[in-house]
Amino acid sequence: MPQADRQLAPAGQIPADLVVLGAGVAGLWTALKGLRAGLSVVLIEKEKVGAGASGGFMGALMPHMPERWDGKKQFQFDALCAFEDEAARLEAESGRPVHYRRVGRVTPLVTERQRAQAEARVEATKSVWNDRFAYHLPAPEAFAGWMNADNAPQGLVFDDLSARVSPLHLLDALKAALAEHAGFRLIEGEAVVIDAKDGSLKLADGAEIAFGHLVIAAGLGAFPLIEGLTGCAAGSLGNPVKGQAALFDVDELPAPANDLPVIFADGVYVIAHGDGTLAVGATSETEFTDPFATDDKLYAVIEKAKGLSPALKDARLIRRWAGLRPRPAGRDPMLGAIPDCPHVYAIAGGYKITFGIAHHMADAVLAQIGTADGPDIPPSFAVEAHIAKSLSRAAEKSR
């Protein structure tokens, strides 16, 4: 692949073909993909790797519903299809497990309306999932010991596309793979000031970095950075949503973890990870007092999860997590070139689906840069589309 044009850095500046802001899952994938394309990469994180929303436990990789198929859903479908090969390559490069497995997803059906929707989706997936994957309607007892059949008076729906990955192990493998590249530098504990006009940024300690290209993948922190570069009002491109989750240890599962699907019901997930732990979550809170403290809302989710899965009956709580996830105001992820900021790009706002598409988002941005092959960016993902929606909302409020 062609290498990005190298800038000649002024005296005292650190030069890099690609600078990535944010060492969550999106930033780590972007840095690794850039290195694979032959670029020198500096990854800057204001705290530490995985400090934000990527540092949780869940890792459910699930598709959108098959109705009203569009470019957004196709993008995610293609990303999920590619993840198996991406995970295998990453494990080979890093020597670390990521505990990826396409285990599928099972959801109990409670009402006749839910049953009818599931039956319709069985047919809808045949065209949009290209007969590679499908919805199934197994008997309620199909996952006895793992999911409580009493919760499924109308049966179950199971899709064989959904998967899971261990976030903690994935971040560890990405970090290990990055360290294998001579052209990589990780800077942690540093905030930045961007000067998009002259292609440089300044660290809090005064050091300057000249970049050929800059990718803002800073999770929740990406929104104010992009708002500052584009003149959008503060908070207009995205806002935080609090999430809480729990991690359990169990002595014995009803089957090997790789044979247990993700359970999803009424907003609650139960995931059997490949290391033998069970993840339970997650809340979606727009109002909260302490963004980083677990509370009664998590315990309510845990009680629901125990009702869903007998495997949690004697499980031991080993870790809790609370943090903020970046939800874009326009709902879709924000991806690609930032208008009027040459060589500056965004990978932001994946919200609940980032783990499943981050590798694909990185490919798309590097394709825009011209250093690698990658997918087209759906129009609704484009940064200018988000800015247009922001301006439209502001105009409506002013009327």
Side-chain angles (χ1 to χ4, degrees):
M1 298 297 173
Q3 194 175 56
D5 293 337
R6 292 181 181 270
Q7 285 194 343
L8 294 176
Q13 286 190 341
I14 303 168
D17 296 327
L18 176 66
V19 172
V20 180
L21 300 185
V25 65
L28 292 167
W29 271 120
T30 304
L32 181 58
K33 298 273 188 170
L35 289 164
R36 288 175 180 172
L39 307 181
S40 61
V41 177
V42 173
L43 175 62
I44 303 173
E45 166 57 50
K46 68 177 182 179
E47 296 181 40
K48 62 180 181 179
V49 172
S54 296
F57 315 131
M58 302 310 294
L61 312 177
M62 303 195 305
H64 289 295
M65 295 299 102
E67 300 94 343
R68 298 181 296 279
W69 200 253
D70 57 14
K72 168 186 175 179
K73 294 186 176 185
Q74 185 66 46
F75 186 95
Q76 188 188 20
F77 175 78
D78 293 338
L80 293 176
C81 290
F83 205 112
E84 185 168 1
D85 290 340
E86 292 281 4
R89 180 177 179 181
L90 177 59
E91 287 184 333
E93 288 180 348
S94 67
R96 310 287 179 89
V98 303
H99 295 300
Y100 168 85
R101 183 77 171 191
R102 184 168 282 129
V103 293
R105 165 186 54 180
V106 63
T107 300
L109 301 173
V110 178
T111 67
E112 292 182 359
R113 181 173 180 271
Q114 288 176 336
R115 177 78 187 192
Q117 285 180 330
E119 290 172 347
R121 285 169 181 161
V122 168
E123 293 302 314
T125 55
K126 292 180 180 179
S127 59
V128 297
W129 288 3
N130 305 320
D131 290 324
R132 295 179 60 185
F133 307 99
Y135 270 71
H136 308 274
L137 298 173
E141 298 77 23
F143 301 101
W146 175 233
M147 206 200 79
N148 188 348
D150 293 342
N151 290 292
Q154 293 292 325
L156 305 175
V157 59
F158 172 77
D159 82 76
D160 53 18
L161 169 58
S162 294
R164 53 94 167 119
V165 69
S166 169
L168 300 177
H169 288 87
L170 179 62
L171 296 185
D172 179 64
L174 285 166
K175 186 176 180 181
L178 288 168
E180 294 296 316
H181 290 265
F184 174 67
R185 179 177 179 181
L186 172 64
I187 300 174
E188 294 180 282
E190 290 285 355
V192 302
V193 176
I194 303 169
D195 188 340
K197 301 302 181 183
D198 70 359
S200 68
L201 56 82
K202 182 177 290 186
L203 303 181
D205 66 2
E208 293 189 13
I209 299 176
F211 57 81
H213 299 279
L214 172 68
V215 174
I216 300 174
L220 185 61
F223 296 139
L225 287 173
I226 297 168
E227 287 161 357
L229 290 172
T230 59
C232 290
S236 64
L237 293 181
N239 292 286
V241 174
K242 181 179 177 179
Q244 300 186 53
L247 195 66
F248 291 84
D249 189 22
V250 292
D251 291 325
E252 187 176 359
L253 292 170
N258 284 344
D259 296 332
L260 297 174
V262 173
I263 298 174
F264 177 67
D266 194 25
V268 176
Y269 298 81
V270 182
I271 301 171
H273 282 303
D275 63 354
T277 59
L278 297 182
V280 170
T283 64
S284 291
E285 307 166 43
T286 56
E287 296 183 3
F288 44 83
T289 302
D290 187 339
F292 305 111
T294 56
D295 54 35
D296 291 345
K297 291 182 180 179
L298 174 60
Y299 292 106
V301 168
I302 292 172
E303 287 306 308
K304 287 184 179 180
K306 288 181 176 180
L308 287 169
S309 179
L312 284 162
K313 180 181 178 182
D314 297 317
R316 297 175 296 278
L317 178 62
I318 54 176
R319 289 186 64 182
R320 295 173 293 169
W321 177 85
L324 298 178
R325 297 178 291 176
R327 182 168 68 182
R331 301 305 186 198
D332 292 347
M334 189 181 306
L335 187 60
I338 297 177
D340 300 320
C341 297
H343 309 295
V344 183
Y345 304 81
I347 296 182
Y351 189 36
K352 294 181 179 181
I353 63 172
T354 302
F355 268 90
I357 66 171
H359 60 287
H360 212 48
M361 296 169 83
D363 287 336
V365 166
L366 288 169
Q368 271 201 346
I369 291 173
T371 59
D373 294 328
D376 293 333
I377 295 173
S380 63
F381 286 21
V383 179
E384 55 262 32
H386 286 264
I387 294 172
K389 288 181 180 179
S390 170
L391 295 175
S392 176
R393 287 190 295 269
E396 289 178 4
K397 289 181 179 179
S398 66
R399 290 173 185 170

